[in-house]
Amino acid sequence: MIVRSFSLLLRHLLFTLCFILLAMNGLKAQQNLPNKSSSQDAEKVKVGISGYIQGLVAIGQKNATSTVGTSTKEQDGMFMRMGIRRGYLTTKASYKALSAVTQLRVTDKSLGIFQAYLRYNPTMHPEHRLTFGLTTVPFGYELVISSRDRESFERAAYYSDLFPTSKDMGIYYHFSPSFSIQHAINFFTLDLGLLSGNSTFGMRKALPDVIGRIVFGHKDSKMERLYGVSGYYGYTTAVGKQYARRIYIGTHLDYQLHLTYGDLKFRLETLGGWQSGTPQTNSAVGSNSPEKKGAEQFVLLERPFLGAMGMLV
């Protein structure tokens, strides 16, 4: 009960901070005077609103599935579905080193909060960044990349089991120092985090999960060579003091050649470890968590897994 109350408190705190920043922006606007200096402009609260909607038209044969519209299981022949695959509305308010972001996600089936976080990025040390709230889990290669930057619409299928929504409530630290382009390694990022381990459905256990990610390599005008290592350690609990580990280890590489007529990219990612699940599902977090099912005889399993993804474009 304490953990649930704490999780709700964190969410209310995030929304409160967002409203405070918006209110501060309104007060500042009333006090604005003409011909202010650029340093005074930097003191203002800045607010931005953005968003987009992505539609989908699907045509399929018998036994095919569609991510929009009603179920296609009963279709005897060809079918067609039209709907909203996804849409986002993002509001960001920033003041000096602080920023607050809320993002709503809409589909033709649901509407809900996708991200809500407070971020501290000190002006004097921009290589450090601390994020608190519901945001993207820093793991692997595809999970942290937006769909607008990926070559395919969807991520590799194993991510839907390992991280059902790609988001989680937690505290995240990011470090990205700057290097001279002449160095053999001129790109480096480090991510560390403590998270609830239950996607967007709130924390339901005593201790948080731990995550870490390192990416390093070299970038120049002709080529990019990046290598990454990720690790995740956590657990899942259920009725009857059942316990199952969630241990993930991932590696990835990203090669890009910048040619005259375009880029040539080669990307490879491998994952392995142990995943908590049930006899019916490969996952026991998020919408598949034990308490969501409400079954007294809930059975937790711990399965080893191995997965990989590669592309050449």
Side-chain angles (χ1 to χ4, degrees):
M1 181 64 69
I2 294 176
V3 174
R4 289 185 181 180
S5 299
F6 182 66
S7 179
L8 290 173
L9 177 62
L10 297 184
R11 296 184 183 183
H12 288 307
L13 177 61
L14 285 171
F15 287 119
T16 301
L17 289 170
C18 290
F19 284 123
I20 289 175
L21 287 173
L22 290 171
M24 290 172 62
N25 184 62
L27 293 174
K28 290 279 185 178
Q30 294 178 1
Q31 299 173 359
N32 284 344
L33 296 176
N35 301 321
K36 286 194 171 183
S37 66
S38 58
S39 60
Q40 289 175 311
D41 290 338
E43 299 295 320
K44 297 178 182 178
V45 176
K46 300 177 181 178
V47 178
I49 298 176
S50 61
Y52 70 90
I53 293 179
Q54 187 179 74
L56 179 65
V57 178
I59 300 175
Q61 296 177 315
K62 181 180 179 180
N63 298 325
T65 60
S66 174
T67 57
V68 297
T70 58
S71 173
T72 60
K73 293 181 180 180
E74 306 300 326
Q75 297 291 327
D76 294 328
M78 295 286 294
F79 68 86
M80 182 176 181
R81 292 289 186 272
M82 294 185 294
I84 299 175
R85 181 174 179 268
R86 61 186 168 199
Y88 296 102
L89 178 63
T90 305
T91 302
K92 179 179 180 179
S94 58
Y95 178 70
K96 294 184 178 180
L98 289 175
S99 61
V101 174
T102 58
Q103 186 177 58
L104 299 179
R105 173 171 176 164
V106 59
T107 69
D108 60 355
K109 300 181 180 66
S110 64
L111 170 65
I113 297 174
F114 192 60
Q115 293 194 87
Y117 60 83
L118 177 68
R119 177 166 290 169
Y120 175 66
N121 194 187
T123 307
M124 298 300 294
H125 299 281
E127 66 273 15
H128 300 282
R129 190 175 72 201
L130 187 64
T131 303
F132 174 72
L134 180 66
T135 188
T136 302
V137 177
F139 186 91
Y141 174 74
E142 280 195 306
L143 194 66
V144 300
I145 299 179
S146 170
S147 59
R148 66 185 177 188
D149 299 320
R150 292 197 308 267
E151 286 72 23
S152 59
F153 282 115
E154 304 293 344
R155 298 182 177 93
Y158 46 71
Y159 274 123
S160 62
D161 290 331
L162 303 180
F163 302 98
T165 66
S166 78
K167 310 297 183 212
D168 210 329
M169 179 72 74
I171 302 174
Y172 304 93
Y173 169 72
H174 176 81
F175 176 61
S176 56
S178 59
F179 296 92
S180 171
I181 195 171
Q182 286 79 21
H183 282 87
I185 296 177
N186 63 10
F187 181 87
F188 178 87
T189 63
L190 168 68
D191 290 279
L192 299 171
L194 298 174
L195 55 161
S196 72
N198 199 33
S199 187
T200 58
F201 292 86
M203 189 171 177
R204 294 186 173 88
K205 54 187 182 180
L207 297 174
D209 294 350
V210 181
I211 196 169
R213 179 177 183 263
I214 294 176
V215 180
F216 62 94
H218 183 86
K219 290 184 175 183
D220 56 41
S221 60
K222 296 181 179 180
M223 187 177 183
E224 296 183 14
R225 303 181 301 275
L226 300 180
Y227 310 89
V229 179
S230 302
Y232 184 100
Y233 180 82
Y235 67 98
T236 303
T237 60
V239 178
K241 297 184 179 180
Q242 296 184 69
Y243 174 96
R245 296 177 300 170
R246 295 177 66 197
I247 302 177
Y248 311 151
I249 299 174
T251 62
H252 72 268
L253 60 87
D254 179 8
Y255 281 13
Q256 297 187 44
L257 286 174
H258 302 304
L259 306 175
T260 304
Y261 300 103
D263 294 343
L264 180 64
K265 304 175 184 179
F266 173 68
R267 290 163 178 170
L268 177 66
E269 180 177 49
T270 62
L271 293 175
W274 292 265
Q275 164 72 341
S276 61
T278 71
Q280 294 79 28
T281 65
N282 293 328
S283 178
V285 298
S287 59
N288 292 322
S289 62
E291 294 185 18
K292 280 287 181 180
K293 297 295 182 181
E296 294 297 328
Q297 302 300 322
F298 196 92
V299 177
L300 270 181
L301 301 177
E302 187 176 287
R303 295 187 177 99
F305 72 92
L306 181 64
M309 178 280 299
M311 67 173 66
L312 177 65
V313 293

